[in-house]
């Protein structure tokens, strides 16, 4: 999967977190029901954990790719023989 797709999925997850938290606030404001609002907030927190995990995993993949590229360039710069 490309970096652009991974980044898009991560940002889309953060957007879903924001939407869930805002929806929880609106739900509580309109219906004064803490249980219903708590569901939205719990869902937002769960998505937040997923988004954070995706961000950390993507950061690790990018770092591993950079290290591999550096090693490859170092190998190419050595004289043959």
């Amino acid at each position: 999967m490309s970096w652009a797709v991974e980044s898009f999925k991560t940002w889309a997850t953060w957007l879903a977190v924001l939407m869930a938290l805002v929806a929880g606030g609106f739900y509580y404001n309109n219906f004064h029901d803490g249980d219903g609002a708590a569901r939205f907030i719990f869902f937002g927190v769960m998505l937040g954990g997923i988004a954070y995990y995706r961000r950390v995993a993507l950061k690790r993949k990018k770092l591993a790719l950079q290290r591999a590229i550096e090693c490859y360039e170092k190998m190419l710069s050595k004289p043959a023989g």
Side-chain angles (χ1 to χ4, degrees):
M1 210 174 290
S2 71
W3 296 114
V5 172
E6 287 287 333
S7 295
F8 175 77
K9 285 182 177 182
T10 303
W11 282 107
T13 308
W14 282 118
L15 181 62
V17 168
L18 179 65
M19 289 173 41
L21 295 177
V22 169
F26 278 125
Y27 188 89
Y28 183 76
N29 190 34
N30 290 334
F31 300 111
H32 303 290
D33 179 19
D35 291 339
R39 290 182 188 131
F40 283 107
I41 293 171
F42 179 71
F43 183 66
V45 170
M46 277 191 351
L47 282 177
I50 293 169
Y52 177 76
Y53 175 75
R54 289 185 67 87
R55 184 179 67 90
V56 169
L58 184 61
K59 195 179 214 180
R60 285 182 186 160
K61 285 181 184 180
K62 283 184 178 181
L63 184 61
L65 178 64
Q66 287 174 346
R67 287 181 180 165
I69 290 171
E70 288 172 2
C71 288
Y72 183 71
E73 288 174 346
K74 202 183 278 187
M75 181 188 72
L76 290 178
S77 68
K78 290 182 181 178

